[in-house]
Each structure stands twice: as C-alpha cells, then as structure tokens.
Amino acid sequence: MNHNNMEHVKCLIIGSGPAGYTAAIYASRANLNPVEYAGMQPGGQLTQTTIVENFPGYPDGVDGNQMMMDMRQQAERFGADIRDGIIVKADLSKRPYVLTTDEGHEMEADTVIIATGASAKYLGLPDEAKYRGEGVSACATCDGFFYRKRVVAVVGGGDTACEDALYLSSLARKVYLIVRKPYLRASQVMQQRVMNAENIEILFEHNTVGLFGENGVEGAHLVKRKGEPDEEMVDISIDGFFLAIGHQPNSGFVKDFLETDDTGYIKTIDGTPRTKLPGVFAAGDVADPHYRQAITAAASGCQAALEAERYLQTL
C-alpha cells in the first residue's frame, strides 16, 4: 500500500563507508535503483585515517578519503542516488518498511541495507567534549602528526590502545598508556612491543577523571587504585589525550526491531548479512565485532546487495 505520495524505494542503503558504497555499486548494476543516505560521517571511519595500506589493489597504499570518494563515484556512475542526510527513525514492524530522515522525509522501502558502521567510544567526561579538537582525539592516526616531540596519553588496554601508543611513540616525545586494569588485554605480540618501546610509560590501575588546561589540554587528573585503601590522585602533564577504548555500533535506530549483542552489534544469520526480518540486511562494522576491516566491510556490502536482489525476486 502506498501512502499516497510517499516515496517508494526498492533498495534503501543506510550509511556510506566501504559496506554502503559497495552495496550501492552492486545494487545499481542489478537495476535496483538504490537510494543511499550518506549519514553523519560520509565515507565513515576511513575518512578519519591517513593511508590505507592493506586494501588489495593499492600496492602503494591509498588515502582513506580518496578511496571513499572513488567508491562513491563508482556507485554514482552506475546510477546510485546518494543523498546527504541521516536516517533517524525506522519502522520495521510492517512491510514495506518506513524510514524517516533527520529532515522528516519519510519513505517506504522493500529492502533495507543497514551499513551505519561504528563510532569511537568516549569515557563520557564533560572535559572530553570541552577539549574535543583541542587536544582530545579518538583517532591517533589522524591527529598524531600534530603531537610531534610533545607528550600524549592513550587510554585503553587492548590491541587498539597498544597500536595507537606505538604509532604515537614514533612521533611524540613521550606516551603514557593509561590502563584501568592491572594488566593489558592486548595480544602478547602487542604487549611486548609496548613494553619494549623506550618512550611509552604504562600507568596500570589508573582511571582518568578529568582534563585541565587554559589553551587546550595541558594535563589529566587520574586516580590510581580507585576505591582501594591506597587510592591516590595523580596529575600528568600532557598535550594530547587519545581514546582507544573500543567502538559503539550505530544501531540505536533499529534496536527495537533487530537483535543486537551486548555492545549493540546487529546479529545476522549464518555469517550472511541477513537479519531476522525478511529484506533487512546489515553490512560492515555495524554487524562485525570481529574483523572490522575495509575489505570485510566491502565484501559484506556486496553480499547484502546480492541478498537484496534475490529477495526482491520473491516479492
């Protein structure tokens, strides 16, 4: 049933990283006339990196922004309708599915490919917002360059935190790694590298409670052994504060209709992008807690488009 003048879309793609763009390329070539909403960060997380060296076919590496622009152009060449805007609401209780943009534009879709990715997690301190862009960053590879010969801190204890600390140690004079627990969660190899780096100091059992500084970040307030009898306040002088405590999948707008894991990753069926709802697919980092690579996201975008095409043939 068509709500009088409501726009009707055969294939709606939400999000615009490697998963969304690849889905758009395949869906366009299959004559599904896909409409893709680029979302809050067009191009996704890759636009926050510098050079991508592990995507097959680029022997010398490729700039993350450039690669996303190339993928977008490729989708548009085959007729994908790529629009600015964010899908803020989804009604997946009945078919066709109804989705609403941030400007209140409603449309019906026969198939929906959710490729909304994930966003870096913050600690939730008011100071993080206060100093965002003035010393606080969630992307070491994007912003590390600005901290050459300076002092920075990385928060986290996993592989990402160790990778970020090592990356920054090649630029910064000194790197503090602030770890909540008395140990690192990272793989043995990464732990060893961090331990061997001369200018990385690991602060185990430290919690960050605030940041301070007149002109941007000049230091951090930490609590050592929080809640223990020997708890103490520690201040460190730093110029930059980097978060490496994981990612939050951008799945909030569909959580009433689809199953997610504890973190919010959308659950899919049997290693495919299919969800429990017919015609609704999830591709890329929004459904992938394990690999989170550009190449795996692109692959799942391809799979989602092929699944959508097969599903549409049954309608």
Side-chain angles (χ1 to χ4, degrees), residues 17-222:
Y21 285 147
T22 304
I25 291 167
Y26 273 79
S28 302
R29 297 186 79 241
N31 283 335
L32 306 187
N33 304 323
V35 170
E36 178 177 10
Y37 275 86
M40 214 175 306
Q41 190 180 57
Q45 295 181 83
L46 279 180
T47 61
Q48 303 286 298
T49 62
T50 42
I51 200 105
V52 178
E53 295 188 315
N54 52 13
F55 201 93
Y58 294 97
D60 300 321
V62 57
D63 177 80
N65 275 295
Q66 187 60 49
M67 185 161 91
M68 288 304 94
M69 289 193 305
D70 289 348
M71 283 191 189
R72 179 178 181 136
Q73 274 178 346
Q74 197 170 348
E76 287 178 328
R77 180 183 147 212
F78 295 116
D81 177 354
I82 302 178
R83 304 175 182 176
D84 290 326
I86 304 162
I87 301 290
V88 290
K89 194 161 147 254
D91 181 359
L92 307 181
S93 63
K94 57 186 187 305
R95 286 179 281 170
Y97 302 114
V98 176
L99 297 102
T100 313
T101 71
D102 50 342
E103 297 194 331
H105 175 61
E106 281 191 323
M107 65 208 111
E108 299 181 321
D110 296 324
T111 61
V112 177
I113 296 174
I114 301 164
T116 43
S119 303
K121 279 188 197 163
Y122 287 81
L123 294 170
L125 306 171
D127 289 343
E128 286 171 320
K130 178 178 167 187
Y131 293 109
R132 192 163 301 176
E134 295 182 17
V136 171
S137 168
C139 183
T141 47
C142 323
D143 301 324
F145 186 73
F146 302 116
Y147 295 94
R148 282 171 305 172
K149 309 262 187 292
R150 300 175 82 180
V151 181
V152 297
V154 175
V155 181
D159 278 332
T160 310
C162 288
E163 274 170 32
D164 286 359
L166 284 163
Y167 173 77
L168 291 164
S169 73
S170 65
L171 298 161
R173 187 170 82 236
K174 172 167 184 142
V175 180
Y176 290 104
L177 184 56
I178 303 169
V179 187
R180 245 192 357 216
K181 299 193 159 81
Y183 57 87
L184 291 170
R185 285 195 330 268
S187 60
Q188 227 27 67
V189 177
M190 291 307 288
Q191 292 195 33
Q192 215 39 63
R193 284 187 191 157
V194 166
M195 306 278 188
N196 294 343
E198 285 179 9
N199 59 341
I200 298 179
E201 183 181 340
I202 307 177
L203 302 174
F204 286 114
E205 295 186 89
H206 281 69
N207 277 289
T208 309
V209 289
L211 301 167
F212 58 89
E214 292 297 309
N215 304 310
V217 171
E218 292 169 17
H221 299 299
L222 312 177

Side-chain angles (χ1 to χ4, degrees), residues 254-313:
V254 289
K255 70 177 186 311
D256 294 344
F257 303 98
L258 296 176
E259 289 170 42
T260 62
D261 71 5
D262 296 342
T263 312
Y265 290 98
I266 295 174
K267 287 188 178 174
T268 55
I269 296 165
D270 296 337
T272 71
R274 291 198 297 271
T275 68
K276 64 173 191 179
L277 293 179
V280 178
F281 309 96
D285 282 15
V286 75
D288 176 14
H290 303 297
Y291 303 110
R292 302 201 308 261
Q293 300 298 305
I295 189 77
T296 50
S300 70
C302 154
Q303 292 169 334
L306 294 173
E307 292 276 2
E309 182 189 1
R310 281 173 202 159
Y311 171 77
L312 285 165
Q313 283 165 2

